[in-house]
Amino acid sequence: MEGHQLQHQAACMRKALFDQGYLDDQFLQLEDLEDEANPNFVEEVVKLYYSDSARFIRNIELTLDKNPFDFEKLDDIMHQFKGSSSSIGAKKLKTECTQFQEYCKIGNFEGCMRTFQEVKQEHAVLKKKLESYFQVFLLVHVYNCVYVCVDVHFVTN
Amino acid sequence: MEEMRSDCSSSGVQELHVLAVDDSLVDRKVIERLLKISCCKVTAVESGRRALQYLGLDGERSSVGFDELKVNLIMTDYSMPGMTGYELLKKIKGSSKLREIPVVVMSSENVLARIDRCLEEGAEEFLVKPVKLSDVERLRDFILKGEEKSEREFSHKRKMSDDSCTLTPSSMASSPSSSDSDLPLSPMSIVSDEPRPKRARLLDDN
């Protein structure tokens, strides 16, 4: 049955995100904050995160370009970016951010550049994975709604 | 995933008003949700300066009378551009109007020196981010107990001044076992205006 297949797909995607280390316990904490009145809280937070975090990426890029040895500033921006990433449970991304900050501490520009590419990549990969995941979740929800409506129709007629 | 959550109005829990201060948009959204689930009214601002404006401490008169917006708890991020959470904490504890409001500092960095500094300055707790629902619920219960105790102390004082000067055993309020209880029992000793010394209290870092 399609509904079950969708649900199974959603469950598999979710498991993979955790097993492969993309997400950590904080994502579960956010899920616990959802209820009937706020069923899409996690998706809202993730959307907010991606629209907000773009500026951190931009600012780091600008700083690496214009003031490449301002490690304090780079560390500062990354600290904020890492904080937000941590708030949505982005485990792998958090690790890359920490690595970047380590290079800032020792003033290693090459290290910063290299790690920053990793950060950008992780940021983009996670975005795609979460988008797909929420899409499947939405399909499951829609399917369940339709299924219930159809069911009710048959019961009442 | 979905739990049965008690309705805030029916659970009989008094609504605390919490002022949350954080420059991160994402963190403000999350802390707001955590507090709302915990049956707290939330005002979220993005900086220490805005927080002081809201509390009426920035020299400008706030648009609404302070009493109507009584804040029961302030939760502030530590690292913020402009005024840090630590600086905000100092300003609040340095104000006779506001220093009784408990302040909790939140930080993604678990730095002992930072924690000590905040607790010494009068912070109630230091929470390591990301903040969990269990942290907020525990905090809420702690603040509620404090509010209840103040209410009892206040009504006890009222009763003492209403009665004649004689003190009878029945008029002595018995407080629940609390190691930092300092309820005045004699009509001669009024609760002093000085803030109670804060016990350093660290959360388990789980």
Side-chain angles (χ1 to χ4, degrees):
Chain A
M1 205 173 213
E2 231 181 78
H4 288 262
Q5 280 175 342
L6 274 174
Q7 243 160 358
H8 180 73
Q9 192 182 353
C12 284
M13 287 173 89
R14 189 166 173 278
K15 190 170 185 300
L17 284 167
F18 285 97
D19 288 348
Q20 291 166 16
Y22 286 100
L23 298 176
D24 63 23
D25 182 65
Q26 175 60 13
F27 194 84
L28 295 172
Q29 296 281 329
L30 292 182
E31 284 181 331
D32 279 350
L33 304 183
E34 287 185 337
D35 56 23
E36 274 180 16
N38 301 269
N40 303 310
F41 179 70
V42 186
E43 194 178 349
E44 286 167 18
V45 176
V46 170
K47 273 201 174 114
L48 185 66
Y49 165 76
Y50 273 100
S51 70
D52 188 53
S53 59
R55 65 188 167 101
F56 296 125
I57 303 254
R58 243 189 343 265
N59 286 344
I60 291 178
E61 255 162 359
L62 277 169
T63 311
L64 284 170
D65 187 38
K66 298 276 188 305
N67 312 310
F69 300 107
D70 193 346
F71 293 107
E72 197 180 310
K73 183 170 182 189
L74 287 168
D75 183 64
D76 192 48
I77 305 169
M78 186 49 85
H79 171 79
Q80 293 177 71
F81 177 69
K82 183 179 158 188
S84 286
S85 305
S86 167
S87 295
I88 67 159
K91 189 176 177 183
K92 247 189 209 185
L93 189 47
K94 220 170 63 169
T95 308
E96 296 299 337
C97 292
T98 305
Q99 188 60 64
F100 182 92
Q101 285 186 292
E102 293 299 313
Y103 282 122
C104 285
K105 282 183 181 59
I106 60 173
N108 184 331
F109 176 72
E110 255 92 50
C112 285
M113 282 296 279
R114 220 175 28 246
T115 321
F116 185 55
Q117 299 314 310
E118 297 290 327
V119 166
K120 280 199 290 190
Q121 195 180 353
E122 280 304 326
H123 187 243
V125 163
L126 181 63
K127 184 176 186 193
K128 282 215 151 57
K129 285 189 183 285
L130 287 174
E131 274 171 355
S132 306
Y133 172 63
F134 289 128
Q135 243 166 20
V136 174
F137 233 98
L138 176 65
L139 286 173
V140 169
H141 179 70
V142 166
Y143 180 87
N144 286 338
C145 283
V146 169
Y147 192 62
V148 165
C149 290
V150 166
D151 209 26
V152 166
H153 175 80
F154 276 114
V155 164
T156 55
N157 286 328
Chain B
M1 230 193 304
E2 270 185 35
E3 289 173 17
M4 285 297 289
R5 204 160 261 145
S6 63
D7 178 22
C8 287
S9 51
S10 64
S11 64
V13 174
Q14 179 202 328
E15 259 205 352
L16 294 180
H17 180 201
V18 182
L19 177 65
V21 191
D22 201 317
D23 60 309
S24 161
L25 200 50
V26 170
D27 288 356
R28 279 204 304 280
K29 186 171 173 79
V30 175
I31 197 82
E32 228 172 341
R33 182 84 190 117
L34 289 173
L35 287 165
K36 284 198 172 127
I37 287 181
S38 307
C39 302
C40 296
K41 185 171 175 298
V42 191
T43 301
V45 297
E46 79 233 19
S47 68
R49 207 173 64 82
R50 280 257 192 272
L52 292 178
Q53 266 175 357
Y54 185 82
L55 295 164
L57 245 205
D58 68 337
E60 293 172 28
R61 289 188 62 87
S62 51
S63 52
V64 191
F66 178 65
D67 286 341
E68 289 127 79
L69 295 167
K70 185 182 178 204
V71 170
N72 304 113
L73 168 66
I74 297 167
M75 294 184 75
T76 179
D77 187 27
Y78 185 94
S79 313
M80 295 188 291
M83 190 187 298
T84 66
Y86 176 69
E87 286 159 355
L88 174 63
L89 167 69
K90 282 212 300 198
K91 286 217 151 53
I92 291 166
K93 293 303 170 184
S95 150
S96 52
K97 193 167 80 153
L98 300 175
R99 66 186 173 193
E100 286 304 308
I101 305 177
V103 180
V104 166
V105 180
M106 308 176 282
S107 174
S108 53
E109 288 167 311
N110 199 356
V111 176
L112 200 55
R114 179 178 289 190
I115 297 171
D116 282 345
R117 202 183 310 142
C118 290
L119 294 176
E120 271 164 31
E121 204 56 47
E124 206 65 44
E125 293 249 16
F126 187 97
L127 294 178
V128 178
K129 280 175 149 188
V131 174
K132 295 184 167 71
L133 185 58
S134 53
D135 294 329
V136 172
E137 285 172 338
R138 199 175 24 76
L139 207 48
R140 175 206 61 201
D141 292 345
F142 173 75
I143 302 296
L144 277 173
K145 277 208 182 77
E147 292 283 318
E148 276 169 32
K149 208 173 98 166
S150 306
E151 282 287 318
R152 274 204 309 277
E153 284 177 10
F154 179 69
S155 56
H156 174 74
K157 267 161 59 181
R158 282 282 300 270
K159 191 178 190 315
M160 297 297 282
S161 62
D162 286 348
D163 292 347
S164 57
C165 286
T166 50
L167 187 69
T168 61
S170 60
S171 65
M172 286 192 200
S174 56
S175 56
S177 59
S178 158
S179 48
D180 52 358
S181 160
D182 53 0
L183 200 63
L185 297 178
S186 145
M188 300 302 287
S189 73
I190 309 298
V191 174
S192 79
D193 255 352
E194 289 168 42
R196 287 198 334 264
K198 301 289 182 192
R199 262 200 348 258
R201 197 170 21 239
L202 278 177
L203 281 186
D204 294 335
D205 184 14
N206 55 348

